[in-house]
Amino acid sequence: MNANIRGPFLPYWASFACWFDLFLNKLVGMTLNCKPRPHVQSMILATDYVGMALLLDPLLTTTPQDDAYGGKEDPAGLSGCYDDWRKAVHAEIDTTALITGAATRWTQ
């Protein structure tokens, strides 16, 4: 969860143990942005152990393609630090691509 959001605000009758139980399933988040390509936005996102291992591995976090925010040489996932807004957005976009790409490779 980054600093752009507040909450979560849940109804008193909610039946689950913790709010984050709603978010723990492969890669999920509050919003999906469609530009420049579909990606889960990073205000809050969650993944399982396998997804986190992918995002933390510096050898696996190469970006799948160039976009207006960065290039293939820029890191993605959680393996690097982003020194400006554009590179952080590029990493956010490619976080989804890293996990969905790995899921596609594993199911083939």
Side-chain angles (χ1 to χ4, degrees):
M1 184 181 316
N2 72 20
N4 289 328
I5 62 172
R6 288 185 187 204
F9 300 104
L10 302 173
Y12 69 91
W13 45 262
S15 62
F16 37 85
C18 292
W19 65 268
F20 54 81
D21 289 340
L22 296 171
F23 288 93
L24 295 177
N25 184 12
K26 301 301 175 207
L27 178 65
V28 296
M30 281 181 20
T31 59
L32 180 73
N33 192 343
C34 293
K35 292 185 180 184
R37 57 190 176 276
H39 64 280
V40 176
Q41 292 188 291
S42 67
M43 284 88 65
I44 183 168
L45 58 83
T47 187
D48 60 6
Y49 179 79
V50 174
M52 187 58 80
L54 282 169
L55 297 178
L56 289 172
D57 190 329
L59 299 176
L60 297 176
T61 55
T62 57
T63 60
Q65 66 187 66
D66 296 337
D67 56 42
Y69 302 100
K72 292 179 183 177
E73 70 282 353
D74 294 319
L78 303 172
S79 66
C81 291
Y82 309 105
D83 55 2
D84 66 29
W85 177 81
R86 296 180 74 77
K87 290 185 181 196
V89 170
H90 179 72
E92 174 184 270
I93 292 166
D94 282 343
T95 292
T96 299
L98 289 168
I99 290 180
T100 57
T104 302
R105 287 189 300 276
W106 288 333
T107 58
Q108 291 179 349

